[in-house]
């Protein structure tokens, strides 16, 4: 009988191995095709002079005058002598010339945001990546830290994680508490000026077991390791965004410990609302446990984002009303609605903000950008409210 069970076990293992190999091969072909298809494309976002002026906070005439008198370089022009658009780096140079950079003061605390939910499929990585890119476009210095071994955020930046990246390029060696004193080794520049990525790959999953085992053996300080790492790079950034795994494990605990703000995506379905309720209960218990060890985080803000919303579904509308009643000002007023533009961009391993034109139609893209910008703008205001140096400007803008 034992031999029979061993044979069944071996057969099951072979079956799973075979399916895993086939799925991995297909996924690799899809990723390779997507990367190759866009290899010649301009991935860095560009802006026409009107858009650039709006981002910089000056008029198009002021930009042209600065170009004429040599404060700004002449714009690049196409074969018809028309401006071909400004890169984000050029827009940031304009902000420097005009004194409109939105950076925090050195005395202001960096915003360290965890985009967290313990359930997958809620749009966590979508929110984290688009928020990071939105803030970069607005001129902030941003680091996006992929803490999830599934590496969805990393993939959206063009990497094939387990082929392009070694474990030494991720959080993994730092979390193992090796001799490194800074996370700067893992920072990778992206195609968005001012936005850096700390990538992830499947190897990070192994650290969950290692850290948990060491904590069980009496090393509770390991939960602070990520905080130490982020502190080492924080002086160079205004905002650090973390995309943690959708589970309560050692890495998620480290993320909660490091964060001073929390954003929770919640699709308006019964199952997702139920899951989020469980998440809040687990979060309360986790914070109480961390507090017993004097390691509870101090959250500057906690915001819920209604994600993956389909406005034509009555249950979605009803649940959003319920969420408004329960969460009050903790719920971002603008919902993040489902959009084919996001789905199609993701299928290309890209984001809406790096697409220069519509994948679906102009109207669909414009609606999608309206939703994304509204959500990100509100979170931007919450971030700025953390900074004493921004209080007067927020009052003048009527935002506080």
């Amino acid at each position: 009988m034992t031999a029979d069970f061993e044979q069944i076990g071996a057969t099951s293992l072979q079956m799973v191995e075979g399916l895993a190999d086939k799925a991995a091969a297909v996924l690799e072909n899809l990723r390779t095709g997507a990367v190759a298809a866009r290899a010649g494309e301009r991935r860095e976002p560009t802006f026409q002079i009107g858009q650039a002026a709006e981002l910089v906070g000056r008029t198009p005439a002021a930009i042209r005058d600065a170009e004429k008198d040599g404060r700004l370089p002449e714009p690049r022009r196409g074969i018809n002598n028309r401006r071909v658009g400004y890169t984000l780096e050029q827009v940031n140079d304009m902000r420097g010339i005009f004194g409109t950079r939105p950076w925090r003061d050195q005395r202001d605390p960096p915003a360290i945001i965890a985009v967290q939910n313990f359930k997958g499929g809620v749009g966590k990585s979508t929110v984290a990546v688009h928020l990071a890119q939105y803030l970069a476009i607005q001129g902030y210095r941003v680091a996006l830290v992929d803490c999830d071994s599934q590496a969805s955020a990393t993939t959206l930046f063009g990497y094939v994680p387990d082929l392009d990246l070694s474990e030494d390029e991720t959080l993994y060696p730092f979390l193992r508490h090796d001799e490194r004193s800074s996370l700067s080794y893992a920072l990778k520049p992206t195609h968005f000026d001012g936005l850096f990525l700390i990538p992830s790959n499947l190897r990070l999953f192994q650290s969950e077991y290692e850290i948990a085992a060491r904590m069980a053996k009496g090393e509770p300080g390991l939960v602070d390791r990520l905080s130490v790492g982020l502190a080492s790079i924080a002086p160079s950034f205004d905002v650090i965004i973390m995309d943690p795994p959708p589970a309560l494990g050692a890495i998620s605990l480290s993320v909660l410990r490091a964060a001073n703000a929390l954003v929770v995506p919640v699709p308006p379905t019964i199952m997702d609302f139920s899951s989020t309720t469980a998440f809040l209960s687990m979060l309360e218990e986790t914070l109480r446990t961390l507090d017993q060890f004097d390691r509870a985080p101090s959250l500057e803000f906690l915001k819920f984002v209604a994600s993956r919303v389909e406005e034509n579904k009555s249950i979605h509308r009803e649940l959003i009303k319920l969420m408004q009643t329960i969460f009050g000002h903790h719920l971002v007023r603008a919902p993040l609605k489902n959009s084919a533009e996001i789905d199609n961009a993701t299928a290309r391993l890209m984001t809406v903000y790096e697409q220069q034109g519509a994948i679906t139609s102009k109207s669909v893209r414009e609606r999608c950008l309206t939703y994304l910008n509204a959500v990100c703008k509100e979170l931007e205001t919450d971030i700025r409210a953390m900074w004493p140096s921004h209080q007067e400007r927020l009052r003048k803008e009527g935002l506080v």
Side-chain angles (χ1 to χ4, degrees):
M1 183 66 72
T2 301
D4 290 340
F5 276 115
E6 290 177 352
Q7 182 62 39
I8 292 172
T11 302
S12 299
L13 178 58
Q14 292 170 357
M15 177 182 65
V16 172
E17 285 177 341
L19 292 172
D21 289 343
K22 289 179 181 179
V26 171
L27 180 59
E28 174 54 24
N29 287 336
L30 290 172
R31 285 173 166 168
T32 301
V35 172
R38 71 177 191 192
E41 294 180 6
R42 184 181 183 86
R43 295 179 58 214
E44 184 178 17
T46 57
F47 309 91
Q48 297 305 310
I49 189 168
Q51 296 171 304
E54 184 177 354
L55 288 170
V56 172
R58 292 294 184 268
T59 64
I63 293 175
R64 291 191 179 97
D65 288 343
E67 291 170 346
K68 288 177 182 177
D69 63 25
R71 284 178 293 155
L72 289 172
E74 280 290 319
R76 295 174 303 121
R77 297 181 182 272
I79 56 176
N80 58 359
N81 203 36
R82 295 184 63 181
R83 297 165 186 257
V84 296
Y86 298 91
T87 65
L88 182 54
E89 182 178 9
Q90 290 172 317
V91 169
N92 282 330
D93 288 341
M94 292 179 195
R95 288 173 167 134
I97 293 296
F98 291 120
T100 59
R101 293 187 187 276
W103 295 356
R104 65 183 175 90
D105 187 271
Q106 290 184 349
R107 293 166 294 182
D108 297 332
I112 303 177
I113 304 170
V115 182
Q116 179 65 294
N117 199 317
F118 294 161
K119 182 179 182 299
V122 299
K124 182 172 58 65
S125 295
T126 296
V127 171
V129 174
H130 282 92
L131 177 61
Q133 292 181 349
Y134 169 88
L135 292 171
I137 290 170
Q138 304 310 310
Y140 298 93
R141 300 165 298 172
V142 185
L144 176 62
V145 185
D146 194 347
C147 309
D148 187 356
S149 60
Q150 296 181 62
S152 296
T154 299
T155 301
L156 286 175
F157 279 90
Y159 292 99
V160 180
D162 299 305
L163 290 179
D164 297 338
L165 301 163
S166 71
E167 65 183 51
D168 289 335
E169 298 174 272
T170 71
L171 288 173
Y172 184 62
F174 195 90
L175 294 180
R176 292 179 65 186
H177 213 322
D178 65 7
E179 299 303 315
R180 299 175 198 263
S181 60
S182 172
L183 265 177
S184 59
Y185 73 90
L187 285 168
K188 293 185 178 296
T190 71
H191 52 292
F192 281 72
D193 187 58
L195 172 57
F196 286 76
L197 171 72
I198 293 182
S200 177
N201 63 14
L202 192 59
R203 184 61 177 165
L204 192 61
F205 185 69
Q206 183 63 30
S207 66
E208 285 278 8
Y209 298 103
E210 295 181 10
I211 296 172
R214 291 172 61 183
M215 289 173 64
K217 292 179 180 178
E219 296 184 61
L222 282 174
V223 77
D224 290 327
R225 186 64 178 154
L226 181 57
S227 298
V228 171
L230 296 184
S232 71
I233 63 173
S236 300
F237 296 100
D238 303 302
V239 184
I240 297 173
I241 298 172
M242 296 179 286
D243 184 15
L248 180 57
I251 291 179
S252 291
L253 282 174
S254 299
V255 167
L256 288 173
R257 169 64 179 147
N260 58 18
L262 189 60
V263 174
V264 184
V266 188
T269 70
I270 296 297
M271 288 187 65
D272 287 301
F273 182 77
S274 175
S275 174
T276 301
T277 302
F279 165 76
L280 287 172
S281 297
M282 295 170 71
L283 179 62
E284 178 189 9
E285 183 177 343
T286 300
L287 293 178
R288 288 185 185 278
T289 301
L290 288 173
D291 189 50
Q292 292 175 5
F293 294 94
D294 294 322
R295 287 185 165 86
S298 177
L299 298 178
E300 296 288 339
F301 65 84
L302 166 60
K303 281 297 178 76
F304 296 85
V305 176
S307 60
R308 306 183 69 85
V309 175
E310 295 188 27
E311 55 189 348
N312 61 334
K313 290 186 176 181
S314 59
I315 186 63
H316 281 210
R317 296 194 298 269
E318 291 173 12
L319 281 172
I320 288 177
K321 289 180 181 179
L322 179 63
M323 289 161 62
Q324 290 169 340
T325 300
I326 295 172
F327 299 141
H329 72 277
H330 293 289
L331 179 68
V332 171
R333 292 185 295 273
L336 183 54
K337 298 181 181 180
N338 254 346
S339 174
E341 197 72 12
I342 293 178
D343 294 339
N344 284 316
T346 301
R348 290 166 170 78
L349 309 184
M350 303 177 78
T351 67
V352 175
Y353 284 132
E354 67 183 292
Q355 293 283 347
Q356 294 302 309
I359 303 175
T360 50
S361 68
K362 183 178 179 181
S363 60
V364 171
R365 174 176 170 79
E366 287 178 350
R367 283 198 301 273
C368 179
L369 285 172
T370 297
Y371 308 146
L372 279 171
N373 290 342
V375 170
C376 293
K377 178 66 175 176
E378 187 169 339
L379 293 173
E380 179 193 3
T381 300
D382 290 323
I383 291 166
R384 293 177 62 198
M386 296 174 58
W387 300 334
S389 68
H390 276 242
Q391 293 303 310
E392 183 177 350
R393 277 179 283 175
L394 286 170
R395 284 192 292 271
K396 287 181 178 179
E397 295 167 16
L399 296 175
V400 295

